Amino acid sequence: MRHPIVNTLTTVLLVGLLTACGSGSDPADDAAAAADFEARKANMLATMQEHFDTKMSLPPAVQEAFERGEISPEEIDQRTAAGEFEKFFRFKTPADLPTGLVWEDGSDLPDIGSPNATKGGTFYGALSDFPRTLRLIGPDSNGSFRPWILDDTRMQLGRRHPNDTSIDANGNFRYFPGVAEAWAVDKEAATVYVRLNPAARFSDGEPVTTDDMMFTFYFMQSPHIQAPWYNNNYQRNYTNITRYDEHTFSMTLPESKPNIFSRTLEIGVLPMHFFYEYGEDFLERYQWRFVPTTGPYVLKDEDLKKGRSVTLTRNDDWWAKDLKFWRNRYNYDRVHLTVIRDSAKAFEAFKKGELSIANLSLPEFFYEKLPANDPLVTNGYVHRSVFYNDVPRPTYGLWINSGRPLLNNRDIRVGINYAVNYQKVIDQFFRGDYTRMRTTADGYGEFSHPTLKARPFDVERALDHFAKAGFTERGPDGVLINEQGQRLSFTVNTGYDSLQGTLTILREEALKAGLELRLEILDGTASWKKTQEKQHDIAFVAFNVSPEMYPRYWETYHSVNAYDQPWLADGSPNPERKLKPQTNNLQSIANAELDKLIEAYRASDDVDEMKRLAFAMEELLYEDASFVPGFVIPFLRTGYWRWVQWPEDFNVKLARSANQFKLAWIDRELEEATRNARRSGETFPVVDRVFDRYRVNLDTPATAAAQ
C-alpha cells in the first residue's frame, strides 16, 4: 500500500523505473523495466476494459443462486447471450442526466471539531503489532494499523454527521461532503447521483475523477484482491455504476434501502494511475506500497521502520484542509506509532510521557494504573475524561467455529453458552462498569431484538446439554469425557492481551461445568489471521461495527461465506464442501432457513418488514448458539497529557474511539511548560471530567439507538 509518492501522472513511468532498478542502474535495465511497466499497464487497461464490456448486472436472486451453486457459469453465459441482463458499467453524457434532480451538500450541518484547534506537533501512539502489509485490501490488511491509512483518514464520498444523527423527511441520515461536493437521490429508481469536488486530489497531486471511481468498482470486483466480502459487496449490492462526465456519476442499488446513502456515499476512491501494474500478483507487488490518499496523512519510505515503528506526515498541500467539516481536524503534523506488543509496557510508556494518550476503558487502568489519586493526575500533568457515546456496539464475545469437530454439535454449543460466566467477568474484572451484551446486534434501536437476552451462567443446564452430546463422565481433572475418550476441551484464541484476565475467569468458571478452555494469546494480527482462515475452535474477538441504521447479516452469517458450494442442487448440504477462508462468517454457519431470511432482508426496502426479519434472524442465531454474547462498553475513558487539547464537548456522539475523528491537537507551549514543570515540581489544577450528554441506558432493550 505504500511506496514512493507520485507527483504527477507523467512521472508514473519514472517511479516504476526507480522502483525496479534504483538510481544509477544500467540503461539496459532501465529500458527493460520501462518496457515491463508499459506492458503491465497495457494489460491492466485492456483487462479492465474487457471487464467493463462484459460485466453484466445480475439480479440479486440470480446472483445468490449462482453463489449457492444452483446456477452454473454456463447458464449465466447463455442467459447473458440471450440479452437477459444489462451491463454493469455504463457510459453516458451529461445530457442523459435526469431533469429535476435535487442536489444536496449537507452545508447546513454544524461544523465538526474546535475552531480553537491549531496545527502542529507530533502525536505519539502505539501499535500492538507491526503491519503485515500496506495494502488496503486483501489478506493481512485488517490489522491495528488499518484505521490510520484507511478507516479514519481516507476520505469517502460523504460521511454521516457524527453529532446530528437525525433522520430527514426521506428516511436518510444526514451526510456532509467528502470527495463528493454534492449528491442527489432518485429513491424510486434506487439511484444516487454524485458530483465529485473538482478540487479533490490524491496525495500525489493527481485529480480525483469518475475514471477512478469506475476503476474502484473494477478493482473491488476482481478476484486478484482475494477479498470475498468486497467482491460480493461490489457486485450484489449495486446494479450499475454510470459515468456521465469527468466529475459526475451515479450508482444504482437493487433495492431502495432505508438510508440508501450509507451504501453509496460511504465509499472511498482508489487512484487508477497508481494501479497500472495491477494483476494476478497484486498481493506481492503492492505489499509495501503506500496508496496515494485523498486524506491528510502520507507515509514516506524512510518512515517505515520494519518491525519497529511507522510515522505518518500531514500533507501541507492537502486539498481539503480549509473545507468545512475537515478544517478543524487532523491537526497533528506527524503521527509516530511505535510497536509495543505488550499493553502493560505501552501504558508504562504513556506514563513516562512517551505516548500522547491512553485508553482507560479497562477498569485495571482507570482504577489502579492511573487512578484519580495518581500523582500524574493530582499534579495536573495528565488529564482524564469519561465520554459516553451512542453507537451500535462492538460484538465482543466468543465466536464458536461450528465447522470444527464436536463444535458442530448444537448441544455442545448451547452447553458452552451456559458454561460461560460473563456476568462474573463484568462484576469482577470490569468492576460492574460494563453491561452484558444481549444479541449479535445491540445498539441499533428499533432494529435490535426487543426481548432476547444472552443465556445466563448455569452449570446444571450446561451439564444437561453436554450429556445429550455424550459427555457424561468427568476425568481426574474435572473435564468431561465421552465414551470414545474425547475430552470436552477447546482452544480459545485472542489478540486482546489486555483482556486475558477475562478469559482466565471464564476458564475457571467453565471447569465447574466440565468444560476445558485452553487459552491462546497471540498478537492481534496473528489471532485474526487464524480466525479468518477458520483454523480456530473458539475466538474471542469483536467486530467494530459502523453506525448504520440497521445491522448487516449477509457477510457474517450467510452460508456462502462459510463454505465453498455449501449446498447441492436439491438444497441438501454438500458433503464435499470446504470451509471458506477470509470471510466474516467466523462461526461457519450454514443454515438454509437463515439464508432465505438474509436474502429477503437484503432485498427489502420496507422498514417494518426488515425489523421482523432482523428479529427472526436473531432468534435463529440464538438457537444456533455459536456466538456467546460478551459485554458492552458504554463509554470511552481516556487519559492524556495536559498538552493534548480537545474540543469543549470532548468528542462526537458516534465516536468509537477517542482519536477516531482526529479532533485533538497538540499545544506545543503547554507541552514544553508541562515537561519543565515535572522537573521543577510545579503543579497544575486537576482535570478529571465526565461527559454524559449522550449517555443511554443499555440495560433497557431498544433504548441504545444510534438514531
Side-chain angles (χ1 to χ4, degrees):
M1 291 177 177
R2 279 130 196 203
H3 197 47
I5 296 174
V6 185
N7 293 320
T8 66
L9 184 56
T10 58
T11 62
V12 170
L13 176 58
L14 176 60
V15 172
L17 286 171
L18 294 177
T19 302
C21 354
S23 59
S25 60
D26 188 274
D29 292 337
D30 289 355
D36 179 67
F37 176 84
E38 288 297 335
R40 289 178 178 276
K41 174 181 174 181
N43 182 67
M44 191 285 285
L45 293 174
T47 303
M48 180 177 66
Q49 187 60 52
E50 181 183 12
H51 188 75
F52 289 167
D53 293 339
T54 60
K55 176 64 180 176
M56 295 296 161
S57 180
L58 302 182
V62 175
Q63 179 73 33
E64 286 158 0
F66 176 67
E67 291 168 352
R68 292 193 299 266
E70 298 170 2
I71 298 177
S72 67
E74 293 74 21
E75 183 178 345
I76 293 292
D77 291 341
Q78 291 171 1
R79 294 170 67 175
T80 298
E84 181 177 344
F85 309 125
E86 295 187 72
K87 284 188 175 182
F88 188 96
F89 294 86
R90 305 177 189 181
F91 298 83
K92 298 184 179 182
T93 70
D96 297 312
L97 282 167
T99 59
L101 290 176
V102 179
W103 294 88
E104 54 184 295
D105 59 10
S107 59
D108 61 313
L109 291 167
D111 207 349
I112 300 169
S114 171
N116 298 322
T118 58
K119 302 293 192 266
T122 299
F123 173 87
Y124 293 93
L127 296 172
S128 60
D129 53 289
F130 191 79
R132 299 194 176 196
T133 182
L134 294 179
R135 285 182 281 97
L136 303 178
I137 299 295
D140 298 330
S141 63
N142 198 14
S144 60
F145 184 55
R146 169 183 161 131
W148 287 102
I149 56 171
L150 183 61
D151 301 340
D152 299 346
T153 58
R154 286 186 181 256
M155 294 178 72
Q156 299 170 321
L157 297 173
R159 292 296 299 265
R160 182 183 172 193
H161 198 279
N163 276 332
D164 186 339
T165 56
S166 60
I167 298 176
D168 65 21
N170 295 317
N172 298 314
F173 286 133
R174 305 299 310 281
Y175 280 73
F176 63 88
V179 177
E181 69 172 5
W183 50 89
V185 61
D186 181 343
K187 199 155 189 179
E188 288 188 8
T191 300
V192 173
Y193 297 85
V194 178
R195 279 205 311 254
L196 296 174
N197 190 325
R201 295 289 186 274
F202 292 106
S203 53
D204 59 7
E206 287 301 305
V208 180
T209 71
T210 50
D211 291 337
D212 297 303
M213 199 69 226
M214 302 296 276
F215 169 79
T216 299
F217 269 76
Y218 160 67
F219 179 90
M220 293 300 186
Q221 292 176 353
S222 167
H224 302 327
I225 62 175
Q226 295 190 28
W229 184 90
Y230 288 95
N231 288 162
N232 181 277
N233 180 60
Y234 279 82
Q235 295 179 98
R236 162 58 179 81
N237 288 330
Y238 304 90
T239 299
N240 70 74
I241 179 171
T242 303
R243 182 191 192 279
Y244 293 96
D245 62 25
E246 186 178 14
H247 295 114
T248 311
F249 67 95
S250 68
M251 290 172 282
T252 301
L253 279 60
E255 52 277 319
S256 186
K257 303 287 287 185
N259 195 25
I260 191 173
F261 291 149
S262 68
R263 296 298 176 101
T264 50
L265 297 183
E266 293 181 21
I267 293 178
V269 188
L270 295 174
M272 181 176 70
H273 64 274
F274 179 77
F275 289 100
Y276 278 151
E277 298 171 272
Y278 177 70
E280 292 182 356
D281 63 349
F282 162 70
L283 298 186
E284 296 77 22
R285 180 168 292 274
Y286 287 89
Q287 181 79 355
W288 296 108
R289 298 176 64 175
F290 175 69
V291 183
T293 176
T294 50
Y297 289 108
V298 297
L299 176 61
K300 303 174 183 178
D301 279 354
E302 63 269 23
D303 289 333
L304 184 69
K305 310 293 185 183
K306 291 289 183 72
R308 292 180 292 159
S309 67
V310 184
T311 301
L312 298 167
T313 301
R314 187 166 56 82
N315 180 6
D316 288 335
D317 295 324
W318 182 37
W319 71 276
K321 63 182 179 180
D322 296 321
L323 296 183
K324 184 180 179 181
F325 308 113
W326 304 94
R327 57 194 173 193
N328 299 323
R329 302 164 59 195
Y330 307 102
N331 301 305
Y332 316 126
D333 274 354
R334 288 168 64 84
V335 174
H336 182 81
L337 305 170
T338 303
V339 175
I340 307 178
R341 292 181 169 85
D342 183 81
S343 60
K345 291 181 179 179
F347 197 78
E348 287 307 309
F350 165 73
K351 295 188 74 171
K352 293 176 183 177
E354 297 170 0
L355 300 180
S356 302
I357 68 175
N359 184 349
L360 305 179
S361 292
L362 287 178
E364 174 188 1
F365 293 92
F366 191 74
Y367 295 112
E368 296 171 8
K369 294 191 173 182
L370 192 70
N373 61 358
D374 187 289
L376 288 175
V377 179
T378 58
N379 290 335
Y381 304 141
V382 169
H383 298 176
R384 304 197 315 169
S385 289
V386 179
F387 179 85
Y388 285 86
N389 57 358
D390 185 7
V391 291
R393 300 298 167 176
T395 49
Y396 284 103
L398 301 183
W399 300 70
I400 301 171
N401 185 356
S402 61
R404 302 280 279 186
L406 297 182
L407 295 173
N408 57 8
N409 185 312
R410 178 182 175 274
D411 277 308
I412 287 181
R413 299 197 301 270
V414 174
I416 291 173
N417 272 258
Y418 283 120
V420 169
N421 195 348
Y422 259 119
Q423 193 56 51
K424 187 170 185 178
V425 167
I426 291 169
D427 293 340
Q428 291 190 359
F429 190 87
F430 296 131
R431 319 289 176 92
D433 291 348
Y434 298 179
T435 58
R436 182 78 193 269
M437 176 166 272
R438 300 184 301 106
T439 70
T440 72
D442 286 6
Y444 288 92
E446 294 181 0
F447 281 93
S448 292
H449 198 290
T451 58
L452 273 183
K453 292 185 178 180
R455 293 176 176 88
F457 178 67
D458 190 317
V459 171
E460 292 305 317
R461 290 187 184 181
L463 290 171
D464 286 344
H465 283 280
F466 292 149
K468 291 177 183 178
F471 287 85
T472 56
E473 301 295 327
R474 287 186 185 256
D477 57 358
V479 178
L480 288 168
I481 302 173
N482 64 11
E483 291 183 353
Q484 291 74 40
Q486 294 175 297
R487 302 172 78 248
L488 192 64
S489 177
F490 305 102
T491 298
V492 180
N493 65 280
T494 189
Y496 303 144
D497 71 296
S498 61
L499 295 177
Q500 182 175 349
T502 68
L503 297 182
T504 300
I505 295 173
L506 296 184
R507 179 182 62 187
E508 294 170 351
E509 293 294 291
L511 192 57
K512 297 176 181 178
L515 171 66
E516 181 183 49
L517 298 177
R518 304 185 301 269
L519 308 186
E520 183 180 43
I521 313 300
L522 305 170
D523 70 58
T525 303
S527 182
W528 179 245
K529 183 179 181 69
K530 176 177 181 176
T531 304
Q532 277 223 309
E533 290 179 352
K534 314 298 170 65
Q535 298 299 313
H536 65 294
D537 289 340
I538 304 172
F540 172 48
V541 70
F543 285 108
N544 200 4
V545 294
S546 300
E548 296 179 304
M549 184 182 293
Y550 48 85
R552 302 185 186 191
Y553 289 94
W554 179 87
E555 51 261 51
T556 315
Y557 305 113
H558 199 286
S559 63
V560 298
N561 295 314
Y563 297 94
D564 288 312
Q565 301 296 325
W567 311 103
L568 297 176
D570 62 1
S572 61
N574 181 359
E576 303 298 324
R577 65 190 187 183
K578 296 180 180 179
L579 286 171
K580 182 184 287 187
Q582 299 299 326
T583 76
N584 289 347
N585 190 332
L586 308 183
Q587 298 137 279
S588 303
I589 291 177
N591 182 313
E593 182 181 357
L594 180 60
D595 284 354
K596 291 178 181 177
L597 292 174
I598 290 172
E599 290 159 15
Y601 181 79
R602 294 178 88 193
S604 177
D605 59 5
D606 180 86
V607 170
D608 290 334
E609 180 187 32
M610 290 182 67
K611 290 177 187 176
R612 291 193 298 271
L613 291 168
F615 298 165
M617 287 186 285
E618 286 297 336
E619 289 162 10
L620 280 180
L621 292 169
Y622 177 86
E623 291 302 315
D624 180 82
S626 57
F627 175 69
V628 184
F631 50 85
V632 167
I633 308 173
F635 45 63
L636 307 173
R637 288 196 297 219
T638 309
Y640 47 96
W641 285 91
R642 178 173 174 262
W643 57 80
V644 182
Q645 300 289 289
W646 301 83
E648 185 177 350
D649 51 359
F650 191 74
N651 223 310
V652 293
K653 182 178 182 179
L654 297 183
R656 292 177 289 168
S657 67
N659 214 23
Q660 179 189 1
F661 283 85
K662 307 297 181 286
L663 304 176
W665 65 97
I666 303 294
D667 188 319
R668 284 173 287 182
E669 291 184 2
L670 280 182
E671 181 174 4
E672 182 179 1
T674 305
R675 292 189 185 279
N676 290 336
R678 289 188 71 194
R679 289 189 286 267
S680 67
E682 180 187 0
T683 63
F684 304 100
V686 173
V687 177
D688 200 0
R689 300 176 294 178
V690 175
F691 299 88
D692 59 2
R693 175 181 177 184
Y694 302 117
R695 187 171 188 170
V696 293
N697 182 2
L698 295 171
D699 291 321
T700 303
T703 61
Q707 301 176 15

